[in-house]
Amino acid sequence: MIDSLHRFQGRIDQLIAFFNDAETINALADHKVFEEEDWVTGNANIHPHLVRLRSNKIDRRIQTYASGIILLYGLFEQYVEEMLVAYLEEMNATIDNFDDMPIKIRENHTTLSAQLLINRDFDKYRDRCSETDIVQRLLSCVHGGSFRLNTLAYTDHKSNFRIEPLNRFFELAGISGMSALLKTTTAFQEYSISRFPGRKFDNLPDTVVFEDLDDLAWRRNVVAHGWPDETLSIEMMKERAEFIRVLGDCIYEALRQSLLPHIIKHQCYALPKPHVVFNNSIVCIHLEAGILLEGSQVIASQSAGYLEGKILSIEIDHMQQMKVVAPPSVEVAFLVDFRAKDNYQYFVRKTRNSSEIDS
């Protein structure tokens, strides 16, 4: 999932660089020095190109706008689909039995897989699945034991991603009320301070809170089906791109928060309540049973959701350890890479070695 987020962020950076380049071209074309006779005489080979840039302002504005809208919406739609597939793949890797998957995923899998069989030759799915692969995955979810979801099947949607279609899209994978989840994320809380100054956005309708997304989808349709009569300034386009960046961060955060309870349930064991936490990073516990490994994933449960990170180092009596196994019981301190507190419940993700010890 994190790889999809990083690709998305990098592409947003590229798009903003495109807008910055357009601003640079406009500024250069309008520079007064190019009107001076001495400059024109000394740069006869460049002057015709400059004249063309200056005379082509309207067309250039429309081309920048149309390209930006198509790229920005397409980037967002691609990211949403990639992120849902990554989420389902990680769910698949976390849960051993199909019957333990969330009910919505189980209920929709057969119907969506059948639709994928029909759609498999669409450009969207070409070279990403085959009839044999779809059927084999579908059968694996019926016979018990190890299984493979048809994760691509859940990416089918008929509408552009305004906020309501986005909610319905994630609902098929058992994630209800995505818009409400997005508003609870840290990224959106920070964004709302500047977007809705002095207002409680929790009470605002989704059509207001996510107006920029709905507007982007509308503008994408206008550009895709004709010549746009209305455009946005480059500065406004950059603002839209930054909003989509925030929305992408929020989607990742919301999906991780939805995924972590399943990881805890199926692949983690609980650690004892800490005696104390030093510097919001060093967790001290009395370990009676289990295994701690440097580098293991650790998850903290709190009232506002979950935090996750790694065990960076482990110490017993101020001596660094790579691994600690109990019993016998032992006092252990371990360093984590997120802000820890002593009232959190901590879980460690099992490795193959820890699973063997637990058994």
Side-chain angles (χ1 to χ4, degrees):
M1 290 175 64
I2 194 66
D3 290 340
S4 295
L5 176 63
H6 289 162
R7 279 194 301 272
F8 169 76
Q9 292 170 333
R11 289 165 181 167
I12 289 288
D13 288 340
Q14 287 179 286
L15 185 55
I16 290 176
F18 164 73
F19 292 137
N20 288 335
D21 289 347
E23 282 185 319
T24 300
I25 291 171
N26 291 340
L28 287 172
D30 291 337
H31 202 287
K32 296 298 183 182
V33 71
F34 301 132
E35 298 176 2
E36 298 176 4
E37 184 176 348
D38 289 345
W39 187 93
V40 173
T41 302
N43 295 275
N45 58 329
I46 298 176
H47 187 251
H49 301 294
L50 181 62
V51 170
R52 178 170 178 78
L53 281 177
R54 288 190 162 191
S55 64
N56 198 32
K57 288 182 181 179
I58 295 176
D59 287 348
R60 193 165 66 251
R61 186 186 74 234
I62 292 174
Q63 291 161 5
T64 300
Y65 168 78
S67 299
I69 287 292
I70 291 292
L71 286 170
L72 183 57
Y73 176 81
L75 169 59
F76 178 71
E77 182 176 283
Q78 180 186 47
Y79 169 73
V80 169
E81 293 177 1
E82 281 184 2
M83 190 57 76
L84 182 60
V85 168
Y87 169 83
L88 290 170
E89 291 286 0
E90 192 153 352
M91 284 284 285
N92 201 154
T94 298
I95 299 174
D96 292 332
N97 194 312
F98 181 73
D99 292 337
D100 293 327
M101 293 290 281
I103 187 169
K104 280 288 188 179
I105 294 178
R106 288 186 279 118
E107 286 180 345
N108 292 318
H109 189 250
T110 299
T111 301
L112 292 176
S113 295
Q115 188 63 48
L116 182 60
L117 277 170
I118 296 171
N119 296 343
R120 68 186 183 279
D121 290 329
F122 288 3
D123 289 341
K124 177 177 177 176
Y125 303 113
R126 188 167 296 158
D127 299 325
R128 299 179 70 189
C129 61
S130 66
E131 180 177 353
T132 300
D133 183 48
I134 296 169
V135 172
Q136 286 177 342
R137 288 179 178 232
L138 184 58
L139 289 175
S140 74
C141 296
V142 175
H143 295 316
S146 62
F147 68 98
R148 292 290 307 279
L149 287 175
N150 279 310
T151 54
L152 281 177
Y154 292 83
T155 64
D156 183 44
H157 59 97
K158 303 299 187 291
S159 303
N160 289 333
F161 282 142
R162 295 174 171 86
I163 193 59
E164 281 309 312
L166 192 71
N167 279 334
R168 294 194 297 270
F169 178 76
F170 284 106
E171 177 72 32
L172 291 173
I175 304 164
S176 299
M178 174 55 85
S179 60
L181 296 177
L182 294 176
K183 288 187 282 188
T184 66
T185 61
T186 302
F188 202 89
Q189 295 284 335
E190 293 173 351
Y191 163 78
S192 68
I193 294 173
S194 59
R195 183 65 173 84
F196 305 103
R199 302 176 69 185
K200 293 241 182 224
F201 74 88
D202 290 341
N203 298 323
L204 295 175
D206 284 350
T207 51
V208 174
V209 177
F210 299 100
E211 178 183 8
D212 287 347
L213 176 61
D214 291 358
D215 182 72
L216 175 62
W218 172 76
R219 291 177 183 278
R220 179 267 175 199
N221 283 345
V222 171
V223 170
H225 295 98
W227 193 264
D229 294 321
E230 177 187 336
T231 64
L232 296 174
S233 68
I234 291 176
E235 189 59 36
M236 293 179 70
M237 293 287 286
K238 289 197 286 186
E239 290 175 1
R240 297 298 170 88
E242 289 295 349
F243 168 74
I244 292 299
R245 184 202 300 275
V246 170
L247 199 56
D249 292 345
C250 295
I251 288 171
Y252 171 79
E253 189 176 339
L255 290 179
R256 289 303 299 179
Q257 290 295 308
S258 297
L259 177 65
L260 289 173
H262 298 285
I263 292 177
I264 288 173
K265 179 179 179 181
H266 294 279
Q267 292 199 343
C268 291
Y269 61 85
L271 295 177
K273 188 178 184 303
H275 301 316
V276 65
V277 172
F278 293 109
N279 299 326
N280 294 117
S281 60
I282 302 172
V283 182
C284 302
I285 63 172
H286 181 75
L287 185 66
E288 294 187 352
I291 180 171
L292 292 181
L293 293 172
E294 186 177 302
S296 291
Q297 182 180 1
V298 60
I299 302 170
S301 174
Q302 52 165 327
S303 59
Y306 301 90
L307 301 172
E308 63 176 323
K310 290 184 178 181
I311 296 177
L312 300 178
S313 63
I314 306 169
E315 287 188 1
I316 298 176
D317 291 333
H318 305 291
M319 298 291 293
Q320 192 159 335
Q321 311 288 324
M322 295 291 293
K323 177 172 69 173
V324 176
V325 179
S329 60
V330 64
E331 296 290 335
V332 182
F334 59 91
L335 177 68
V336 296
D337 58 356
F338 57 84
R339 188 172 179 81
K341 292 186 178 181
D342 57 10
N343 62 340
Y344 293 169
Q345 172 69 64
Y346 294 88
F347 302 86
V348 173
R349 195 165 190 173
K350 297 175 182 177
T351 63
R352 186 173 61 87
N353 291 335
S354 62
S355 299
E356 290 170 356
I357 290 172
D358 289 345
S359 64

